């Protein structure tokens, strides 16, 4: 993930976009891309959406990740580490013998 | 990212949750977590939100990443590769000499 | 609001779109329009966004309302009545003498 | 809708909350409530969600409407009028003889 982070921050810095970035607007951006991802599924089943819009789905997922990593960079957060910690927290909330739908 | 993906899929499979997963609901889940992330910034400036809710912000960012990776796994998508391709596409749309706000 | 509801349901029925409508996708649609509304404010202050995109903001607000009313119609819900009930519930949660930010 | 608007603005003014309101955060709030509405449908079919969470669905729809009307009030927008105009615009985009899924 470090290589990707470097590409993302280089892209941003080559264009001087860091000046515009703030945490709130980066969170807004993540949301907007997540909505554009979901839009591929509007009025459709999963199968129909994946069949019709596979390319766009991949691009919107990429957009969500790119903004998420820019927010992580700005806040000095190690995303992979936080994800591991969250999985450990979830493992306590949802022990293996208790089968629950969802998270 | 491969190590993290294994932890995520192990977590899911130890609980048999793959049976509930479908692409549309995973996209819905990404959106919901992105909204919970944004909620930390509601009525606040970036500074206030980061100061008040740093821990929760990190957790919601982790949640977005975890669902994003579960969707990538289900669709056989290489997230980092798609992010690189998207950066290349953006580089054409926003050449370095053209300073534009945003993406 | 009854006159507007009739226009909305007539529009939908003249095109036979009721066949596609289900509560989950109507909720997805409300979300997507709310995100398009928010997009007007991405990277901008309230003043800049209202100045730059007043027309689009009005249209996205209209879209949110139209889908909200279609969901209300489908679920046989009286939106104005539910809003009044929610205000009463909020009034108990936030009594007048207790000054709280937000909801 | 005028009676409801008066109740909403009275509620806000009795608590002095107008001071916190700005268009961007009101748009963020609409989004957050729309996401809480959608959350009722996560991992479920429309039927399951309506059966399990009818009360909460009604409350989140009310929350979306309340924030939407507060934004309309702040921007001096006539929501019902804008919805009518949007329907007219949609009628041109989707003439009756052309059957299209969605909007």
């Amino acid at each position: 993930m470090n290589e990707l982070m470097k590409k993302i921050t280089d892209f941003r810095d080559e264009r001087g976009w860091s000046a515009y970035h703030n945490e709130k607007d980066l969170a807004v951006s993540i949301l907007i891309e997540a909505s554009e991802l979901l839009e591929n599924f509007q009025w459709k089943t999963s199968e129909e959406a994946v069949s019709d819009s596979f390319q766009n789905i991949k691009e919107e997922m990429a957009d969500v990740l790119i903004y998420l990593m820019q927010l992580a960079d700005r806040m000095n957060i190690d995303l992979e580490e936080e994800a591991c910690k969250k999985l450990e927290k979830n493992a306590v909330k949802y022990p293996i013998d208790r089968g629950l739908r969802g998270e």
Side-chain angles (χ1 to χ4, degrees), chain A residues 12-62:
Chain A
R12 173 197 66 194
D13 296 337
E14 285 162 358
R15 290 156 184 75
W17 286 358
S18 205
Y20 296 108
H21 284 180
N22 63 80
E23 292 85 351
K24 185 166 179 169
D25 279 306
L26 286 169
V28 165
S29 302
I30 292 166
L31 187 295
I32 288 168
E33 301 302 334
S35 174
E36 290 181 5
L37 168 60
L38 182 57
E39 196 172 3
N40 287 293
F41 297 86
Q42 192 184 18
W43 308 118
K44 300 182 185 180
T45 62
S46 293
E47 294 72 22
E48 288 168 342
V50 170
S51 172
D52 289 351
S53 317
F54 192 64
Q55 181 58 30
N56 190 264
I57 289 171
K58 288 198 293 184
E59 290 190 16
E60 300 302 346
M61 289 174 69

Side-chain angles (χ1 to χ4, degrees), chain A residues 1 5 8 26-27 29-31 33 61-75 77 79:
Chain A
M1 213 168 182
M5 183 61 97
I8 288 172
L26 286 169
S29 302
I30 292 166
L31 187 295
E33 301 302 334
M61 289 174 69
D63 284 338
V64 172
L65 182 62
I66 291 167
Y67 274 124
L68 193 64
M69 289 178 69
Q70 290 184 102
L71 180 57
D73 178 72
R74 188 167 171 90
M75 293 182 65
I77 285 169
L79 259 182

